[in-house]
Amino acid sequence: MSTRPADDGGLEITIRLTAAETEAMATETRLMAEAFDSHLWVLGMLRTGTNSRDPGSPPPVQGDWATALWAAHRLPPRLDAIRTAAIRAFMASGGNAERLANLLRTDPAAARALWTEVKGQPPGDWERWAAGGS
């Protein structure tokens, strides 16, 4: 990922994927990027009280919030599934609860409870999506 100042005073964010990553994610690459962009748009509207993506940066109207909410709603289940699949893969590769606690900035008991929860359930639809795209 790289950033650089935009000509209009904003910020351009570039996310570079390898060919293998792009092939593995196919059309989901664009969906994830659009969902992330929507989160940044919502955060900007919440913090500034303006819809800077409309000419004149007017205050957001109900339609803006509805669009933002719909778009923002698409990312959390995917991110949660990615995290869950990563926890499962980390532990399967020899990770332990103490290291997991350190990575997640939580205490070992909470990490053990999280691992027990993940381990105790088979991968759900979103986790299978994260791990294999299906």
Side-chain angles (χ1 to χ4, degrees):
M1 188 187 91
S2 62
T3 60
R4 69 179 190 153
D7 294 338
D8 64 359
L11 182 69
E12 290 185 15
I13 301 171
T14 302
I15 300 172
R16 186 182 182 309
L17 301 173
T18 66
E21 291 166 337
T22 302
E23 183 179 340
M25 288 184 274
T27 59
E28 295 162 333
T29 304
R30 184 172 183 88
L31 176 121
M32 294 295 288
E34 287 173 353
F36 182 68
D37 176 68
S38 294
H39 273 71
L40 294 176
W41 174 54
V42 172
L43 189 58
M45 286 196 301
L46 289 167
R47 291 186 177 184
T48 66
T50 65
N51 183 351
S52 60
R53 296 189 181 180
D54 277 352
S57 297
V61 297
Q62 184 181 25
D64 296 328
W65 292 120
T67 299
L69 182 58
W70 176 83
H73 182 69
R74 298 183 310 163
L75 195 56
R78 290 167 175 85
L79 293 178
D80 187 53
I82 292 166
R83 182 186 78 131
T84 302
I87 289 169
R88 196 180 300 276
F90 172 77
M91 296 301 276
S93 71
N96 60 51
E98 289 71 28
R99 179 76 175 121
L100 182 62
N102 187 47
L103 293 169
L104 301 180
R105 305 289 192 263
T106 190
D107 63 88
R112 278 190 295 280
L114 177 59
W115 171 235
T116 299
E117 178 184 330
V118 169
K119 182 175 66 170
Q121 299 177 34
D125 291 343
W126 281 116
E127 189 180 345
R128 285 192 300 278
W129 164 86
S134 54

